[in-house]
Amino acid sequence: MPRKRIFLLFLGLFILLLGSTYAVLDRTGAAHGFALERLSKVLRSKFSLDRTGLDLAEGTLTLEGLEVARPGAAEEEAPMVSVDKVQLGVETNPLGDFINLREVRITGWELNLNLVAGDLPDLSELLALPELAGADPLGKGAPPIVVTESL
């Protein structure tokens, strides 16, 4: 078989694999389930997530409509933290640090605190701190975080 034909066959299979991976991750809701599972390991309080998007070419996972409830809050109470959009820049190279965070962009972050009542939540009530303590075994440090259009 000539090299050109082998190369075209390889390229066709690669494009098919890339397209099917995108379809499985984005269209079937696998990215949404992945995001919910990761957030449930980090957040102790109840939370909701409206939509999740994945862009393999850019290497971004987008979370839209994230709301975190105040610990012990009633269902009808306003969420303590509301975020319109979180874009997570992740490493998509499977041979490197796959899914390692490169950057975090937060748009429309709203924090609802009642300072008069003195019910400021403890950070350990919101976050699973032991889970976060071992989150950086290679010592690379936290990714840069950019917050825009927030209250």
Side-chain angles (χ1 to χ4, degrees), residues 7 11 32 38-40 43 45 52 58 65-66 79 82-83 103 112 117 120 133 146:
F7 176 73
L11 186 62
H32 190 75
R38 290 293 182 169
L39 285 171
S40 68
L43 296 174
S45 187
T52 306
E58 292 282 328
L66 177 63
S82 298
V83 180
E103 69 175 342
N112 298 314
L120 205 59
V146 179

Side-chain angles (χ1 to χ4, degrees), residues 32-42 47:
H32 190 75
F34 174 76
L36 288 175
E37 187 262 330
R38 290 293 182 169
L39 285 171
S40 68
K41 287 185 177 182
V42 176
F47 66 92

Side-chain angles (χ1 to χ4, degrees), residues 10-20:
F10 172 76
L11 186 62
L13 288 174
F14 179 74
I15 291 171
L16 179 67
L17 180 64
L18 187 63
S20 62

Side-chain angles (χ1 to χ4, degrees), residues 43-117:
L43 296 174
R44 285 190 175 167
S45 187
K46 292 180 184 178
F47 66 92
S48 65
L49 181 62
D50 291 341
R51 200 169 50 190
T52 306
L54 180 66
D55 186 355
L56 290 176
E58 292 282 328
T60 59
L61 177 65
T62 304
L63 312 174
E64 294 181 2
L66 177 63
E67 292 184 345
V68 181
R70 184 180 316 281
E75 287 287 325
E76 61 276 351
E77 193 173 330
M80 186 176 69
V81 178
S82 298
V83 180
D84 291 338
K85 185 195 286 187
V86 178
Q87 286 183 306
L88 304 171
V90 295
E91 187 64 47
T92 56
N93 180 6
L95 302 176
D97 294 332
F98 190 58
I99 309 293
N100 187 32
L101 282 178
R102 289 186 322 240
E103 69 175 342
V104 178
R105 293 188 172 276
I106 301 172
T107 305
W109 181 20
E110 185 177 324
L111 184 61
N112 298 314
L113 294 176
N114 187 355
L115 299 176
V116 175

